[in-house]
């Protein structure tokens, strides 16, 4: 590793901390400001399309019950993961490293998440292109290109630019999306009755299989939690003076995002039913397109030309709001993977472009028309991944106390690979995908995503017990005498100098270096320098780590 490369990476990553702990010096926003910014990213319109699709397929009762079922599971999974992100200021990749996957093992989960950002960027970009085509007659491929490049200037500038964008555009989005809907609900009771009795392509009966099939599509949205986390990791330290606002912002912007998402999915069902029953019965599958939904809704209230203008404004605002987040989070994920594998950091801008090229390719392949199938398939792997991490935190860390209580992400402290998470995700994914493909029988096929959830939930603690926690920590001590947490349990703000880069980093990001100073004194090395180092010259030797240590440890930082 060259010192120049490490310094360049430090300077480039100061804005967004692409693969690093987020220090106090960067986290200057209030908890309320971070929460509001995080909530701004859930303005995506794919929710409406997902709700409409499952509503048409299974009818309103099954679709709504499926949405509620998926939302409850996602909420439960999201609580422990989001808490670790907000409390310890880590993204999901850093959390996964010490929650069952190991230093390099978490690369697998990060690639899964990066794929999510590409798929959902493509879905939202396709919606924007449909709006541009309706309003101006623009060919779809040009619309795809515009929806892709428009986010680049904002994403490159990182968290500060995203915070301003989300803050100023959220009120406009809420007004355009909700006010016309509320007017229809109040002024047209027949539309509400049609919604509650809509049977879609089903026979009208409530079926557990139909509920689970509806939920399976919704489960594919679970990685949105990781995008929320990319904001939550900027939460300020929790202290007695800000505890109420901290917990409120965490609840709504962390696991609570799914409440807003589920509500939008139900609204999507309503809009599809409204179009098919009250406006244009022959609309067919087009009723799942948010462009059609909002244009037709506006046209029942205002002149056609104004309806198209307002619908286009809504679609563009919503697409930019979510796709800057998709591009931002995707670039963080790809840069994290590349840097650990290649031991080189070429800058996050390259990965912004890489993420957008993949998303544009998906748009050109018309992924939007396969939305239900793609999301149902993807949901199996997604739930295997996130349930494994959540279970490791909730069960292995807090209940069994086999996994280390405090999150560890630094190279040298972790084993490269941990079979706990890898076996759990692998087994849950394979079994659920076999079921999804029908290879375990037609009766099992609708429940493939439940197999992913159940197997991951059981396999994670079983593997931790079977391995006796041997593969979590490589070392018990990082060689630094000062505490990692302050008197309130927040990561310490103490600054130490990295002898490799010459920069100072906060205590949670540092380890003692294996390379002593010229007078034999202890030197410190940052996790960034270790990430970029292609040797072990700065890595302390392994220690014998006893699992019983975690069962007896009570410490600050909880």
């Amino acid at each position: 590793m060259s010192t120049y490369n490490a310094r360049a990476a430090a300077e480039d990553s100061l804005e967004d901390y692409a693969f690093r702990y987020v220090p106090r010096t960067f986290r200057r926003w209030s908890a309320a400001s971070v929460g509001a910014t995080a909530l701004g990213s859930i303005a995506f319109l794919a929710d409406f399309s997902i709700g409409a699709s499952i509503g048409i397929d299974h009818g309103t009762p099954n679709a709504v019950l499926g949405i509620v079922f998926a939302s409850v599971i996602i909420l439960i999974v999201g609580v422990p993961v989001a808490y670790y992100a907000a409390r310890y200021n880590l993204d999901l990749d850093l959390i996964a490293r010490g929650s069952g996957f190991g230093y390099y093992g978490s690369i697998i989960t990060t690639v899964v998440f990066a794929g999510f950002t590409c798929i959902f960027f493509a879905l939202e970009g396709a919606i924007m292109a449909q709006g541009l085509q309706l309003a101006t007659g623009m060919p779809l491929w040009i619309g795809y290109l515009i929806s892709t490049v428009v986010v680049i200037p904002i994403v490159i500038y990182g968290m500060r630019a995203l915070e301003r964008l989300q803050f100023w555009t959220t009120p406009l989005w809420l007004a355009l999306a909700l006010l016309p809907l509320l007017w229809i609900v109040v002024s047209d009771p027949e539309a509400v009755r049609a919604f509650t009795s809509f049977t879609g392509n089903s026979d009208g009966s409530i079926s557990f299989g139909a509920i689970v099939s509806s939920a399976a599509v919704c489960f594919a949205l679970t990685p949105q939690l990781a995008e929320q986390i990319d904001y939550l990791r900027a939460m300020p330290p929790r202290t007695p003076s800000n505890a109420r606002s901290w917990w409120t912002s965490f609840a709504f912007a962390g696991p609570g995002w799914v409440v807003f998402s589920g509500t939008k999915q139900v609204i999507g069902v309503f809009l599809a039913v409204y179009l098919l029953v009250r406006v244009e019965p022959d609309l067919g599958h087009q009723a799942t397109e948010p462009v059609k939904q909002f244009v037709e809704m506006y046209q029942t209230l205002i002149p056609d030309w104004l309806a198209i203008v307002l619908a286009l404004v809504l679609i563009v605002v919503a697409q930019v709001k979510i796709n800057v987040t998709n591009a931002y989070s995707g670039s963080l994920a790809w840069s994290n993977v590349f840097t650990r594998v290649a031991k080189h950091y070429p800058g996050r801008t390259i990965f912004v472009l890489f993420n957008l090229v993949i998303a544009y390719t998906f748009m050109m392949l018309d992924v939007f028309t396969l939305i239900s199938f793609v999301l149902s398939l993807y949901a199996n792997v997604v739930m295997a991944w996130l349930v494994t991490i959540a279970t490791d935190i909730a069960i292995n860390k807090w209940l069994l106390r086999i996994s280390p209580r405090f999150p560890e992400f630094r190279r040298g402290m972790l084993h490269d690979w941990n079979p706990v998470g890898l076996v759990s995700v692998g087994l849950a994914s394979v079994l659920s995908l076999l079921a999804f493909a029908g290879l375990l029988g037609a009766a099992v096929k609708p429940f493939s995503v439940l197999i992913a959830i159940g197997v991951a939930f059981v396999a994670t603690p079983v593997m931790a017990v079977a391995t006796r926690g041997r593969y979590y920590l490589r070392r018990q001590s990082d060689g630094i005498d000062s505490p990692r947490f302050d008197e309130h349990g927040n990561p310490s703000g103490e600054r130490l100098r990295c002898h490799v880069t010459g920069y100072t980093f906060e205590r949670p990001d540092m380890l003692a270096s294996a390379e002593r100073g010229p007078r034999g004194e202890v030197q410190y090395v940052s996790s960034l320098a270790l990430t970029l180092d292609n040797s072990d010259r700065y890595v302390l030797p392994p220690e014998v780590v006893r699992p019983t240590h975690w069962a007896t440890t009570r410490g600050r930082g909880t």
Side-chain angles (χ1 to χ4, degrees), residues 12-96:
D12 187 77
S13 64
L14 286 176
E15 171 61 37
D16 47 64
Y17 298 91
F19 43 87
R20 296 169 50 198
Y21 159 80
V22 182
R24 287 193 185 200
T25 51
F26 177 77
R27 294 181 276 118
R28 298 180 181 138
W29 297 276
S30 67
S33 179
V34 173
T37 302
L39 280 178
S41 69
I42 64 169
F44 50 91
L45 298 179
D47 270 336
F48 298 105
S49 185
I50 288 170
S53 296
I54 61 178
I56 291 173
D57 287 341
H58 303 291
T60 295
N62 289 317
V64 172
L65 288 173
I67 291 167
V68 171
F69 176 65
S71 298
V72 170
I73 299 297
I74 294 171
L75 182 68
I76 293 171
V77 170
V79 168
V81 181
Y83 175 78
Y84 264 54
R87 184 63 163 148
Y88 300 113
N89 312 111
L90 307 174
D91 67 16
L92 193 53
D93 177 82
L94 270 62
I95 294 172

Side-chain angles (χ1 to χ4, degrees), residues 416-483:
D416 289 345
W417 307 91
N418 189 338
V420 174
L422 298 174
V423 170
S424 176
V425 167
L427 186 62
S429 297
V430 169
L431 290 177
S432 62
L433 289 173
L434 288 175
F436 181 82
L439 299 179
L440 300 183
V444 178
K445 183 175 181 178
F447 308 106
S448 64
V449 71
L450 295 187
I451 292 175
I453 294 170
V455 172
F457 181 74
V458 173
T460 303
V462 167
M463 283 300 300
V465 171
T467 60
R468 295 186 295 171
R470 289 194 303 266
Y471 298 97
Y472 282 99
L473 290 182
R474 179 177 173 272
R475 287 183 58 86
Q476 199 162 279
S477 168
D478 60 15
I480 302 177
D481 292 333
S482 58

Side-chain angles (χ1 to χ4, degrees), residues 308-452:
I308 292 175
V309 170
L310 290 181
L312 183 61
V313 171
L314 169 66
I315 288 163
V316 170
V317 169
Q319 190 272 340
V320 172
K321 282 171 72 64
I322 183 56
N323 269 355
V324 293
T325 302
N326 282 327
Y328 173 69
S329 294
S331 68
L332 297 183
W334 290 121
S335 62
N336 200 317
V337 170
F338 180 87
T339 303
R340 268 182 293 162
V341 172
K343 306 298 182 187
H344 173 67
Y345 182 67
R348 188 171 61 84
T349 302
I350 292 176
F351 298 103
V352 171
L353 300 177
F354 177 72
N355 205 55
L356 296 182
V357 167
I358 296 176
Y360 181 75
T361 302
F362 283 158
M363 285 186 240
M364 294 300 293
L365 294 174
D366 200 15
V367 70
F368 185 84
T369 60
L370 301 172
I371 183 170
S372 291
F373 173 79
V374 171
L375 296 185
S376 297
L377 173 66
Y378 193 65
N380 295 286
V381 179
V382 162
M383 294 310 294
W385 156 46
L386 285 171
V387 170
T388 294
I389 297 175
T391 302
D392 192 87
I393 293 172
I395 305 297
N396 295 354
K397 292 185 186 300
W398 286 87
L399 184 61
L400 299 178
R401 299 183 180 179
I402 297 175
S403 177
R405 173 71 61 88
F406 304 118
E408 184 56 77
F409 60 91
R410 297 166 295 176
R411 181 187 171 198
M413 295 298 294
L414 294 166
H415 289 284
D416 289 345
W417 307 91
N418 189 338
V420 174
L422 298 174
V423 170
S424 176
V425 167
L427 186 62
S429 297
V430 169
L431 290 177
S432 62
L433 289 173
L434 288 175
F436 181 82
L439 299 179
L440 300 183
V444 178
K445 183 175 181 178
F447 308 106
S448 64
V449 71
L450 295 187
I451 292 175

